[in-house]
Amino acid sequence: MTDIDPVRLYRTVRLIRRFEERAIDLVRAGEIVGGIHPYLGQEGIAAGVCAALRDDDLVTGTHRGHGHVLAKGADPARMLAELCGRVTGLNRGRGGSMHAADFGVGVLGANAIVGAAGAILTGAVWARRRRGDDVVGATFFGDGAVNEGMLLEAFNLAALWRVPVLFVCENNGYATTMPVAGAVAGTIAGRATAFGMPAAAVDGQDAEAVRDACAAAVARMRAGGGPELIEARTYRFDAHHTFEHQVRLDYRPPEEVAAGRTRDPVDIQGARLPDAVRAEVDAAVEAVLDAAVDFALAGPAPDPATALDHLYASGLTARTGGG
């Protein structure tokens, strides 16, 4: 594509990287309870995909979803407050790391149920198109989701009804600790082509390559071409979940991790900028995240008395337990 803004793409990958590193610090400090699934190493995918979307297009993500939410335009300060469980968060502290949503920027939510986000997005985009809107959607999932029935059912309905959904597989090689070669028969792209969907593989470490592939797919989908699949091949730099920082699971050889880290999406995109511009972006990102940390930690925790609020769309208040 000829209209890529390399500075904007670099800012997005850098923002996600430093946001995740700040979040890990807050996990260690006890401010984020329960830990997170770091997105380190995969930033080029979220940045590239969301750069190909319009503001009104829709996105759903995964348990490893902070990058998706930030790349679509959510406020980093409110996102970090959400991770810290504060009422000033995107979802008043009720969504946390794995269920953050921001409807204002088209993020219908991260989802901790493996493979579930694709079905949610397919229905949402179908409904919007029925209403006459020309939106498209992108749903993210990992290689561990490609054998899940919910995702395959979403493939089927999206293809059958020609719903313009971009199914983005973030193939980092592992479903938690299970190597993809030990869990996936055939190919990931082959699952899409079985439903008549076009499918392509792309270098997930290169934000511009991801953006190119997704922009072409989005243009076809918006013109009525139906769903497509992108397999973004990537490598997770950090733990599946921060609990690994304590238990030190041994499932990836150190030399494999070292080799994976040699292709860093931050450095790949940063190399396309003059040094002075890159330093300016880095400083601006740090200022944003300094303010985000201050905002997050200053916010109040939810009142336990409101724990049962918002359970029902009707506004019905749930009955408390009897004594």
Side-chain angles (χ1 to χ4, degrees):
M1 308 297 289
T2 59
D3 58 346
I4 289 174
D5 181 347
V7 177
R8 179 182 175 188
L9 271 180
Y10 176 70
R11 182 189 182 279
T12 303
V13 294
R14 179 70 180 183
L15 174 66
I16 298 170
R17 171 64 56 85
R18 292 296 294 133
F19 181 96
E20 294 292 74
E21 290 173 341
R22 295 288 191 106
I24 290 170
D25 289 342
L26 291 172
V27 170
R28 290 172 173 156
E31 297 290 350
I32 296 176
V33 178
I36 64 170
H37 297 81
Y39 197 63
L40 302 177
Q42 301 181 203
E43 300 91 344
I45 304 173
V49 171
C50 291
L53 300 175
R54 292 192 323 217
D55 291 346
D56 61 338
D57 289 332
L58 306 178
V59 164
T60 56
T62 70
H63 56 278
R64 199 180 312 284
H66 307 162
H68 312 145
V69 178
L70 293 171
K72 193 61 170 66
D75 179 2
R78 294 189 64 211
M79 179 65 179
L80 198 57
E82 185 62 30
L83 268 59
C84 291
R86 308 304 172 96
V87 297
T88 48
L90 288 173
N91 310 115
R92 305 182 192 177
R94 296 169 184 270
S97 173
M98 293 193 286
H99 297 278
D102 186 349
F103 285 18
V105 297
V107 178
L108 302 187
N111 198 307
I113 301 173
V114 174
I120 293 170
L121 189 75
T122 298
V125 174
W126 176 83
R128 290 285 299 274
R129 298 290 284 205
R130 293 274 292 179
R131 200 170 71 183
D133 300 336
D134 71 337
V135 300
V136 303
T139 184
F140 298 86
F141 56 94
D143 48 276
V146 300
N147 297 321
E148 291 290 336
M150 269 187 296
L151 182 63
L152 298 176
E153 289 173 9
F155 284 4
N156 182 60
L157 286 178
L160 188 65
W161 295 341
R162 300 189 68 76
V163 185
V165 171
L166 185 61
F167 292 94
V168 182
C169 179
E170 298 183 296
N171 182 3
N172 64 25
Y174 288 86
T176 308
T177 60
M178 171 66 78
V180 65
V184 178
T187 66
I188 291 171
R191 283 156 169 74
T193 56
F195 293 98
M197 275 195 283
V202 66
D203 178 5
Q205 304 307 93
D206 185 336
E208 289 194 6
V210 175
R211 194 271 179 189
D212 279 357
C214 292
V218 165
R220 290 190 294 267
M221 293 193 308
R222 207 179 300 278
E228 301 198 19
L229 181 140
I230 295 288
E231 179 189 353
R233 294 172 180 167
T234 185
Y235 194 79
R236 169 168 52 82
F237 287 3
D238 203 271
H240 167 71
H241 186 274
T242 48
F243 84 93
E244 288 184 35
H245 295 167
Q246 278 94 32
V247 298
R248 303 292 180 184
L249 297 180
D250 182 17
Y251 60 95
R252 299 194 298 180
E255 57 271 18
E256 177 191 299
V257 177
R261 284 178 167 272
T262 62
R263 300 199 67 250
D264 189 322
V266 176
D267 291 338
I268 289 171
Q269 188 60 29
R272 296 176 172 130
L273 276 57
D275 290 345
V277 173
R278 183 174 179 178
E280 183 180 349
V281 173
D282 290 352
V285 166
E286 291 307 308
V288 166
L289 293 177
D290 284 344
V293 171
D294 290 343
F295 175 84
L297 297 183
D303 182 347
T306 68
L308 299 180
D309 291 355
H310 313 297
L311 286 180
Y312 299 99
S314 66
L316 178 70
T317 301
R319 186 178 63 186
T320 57

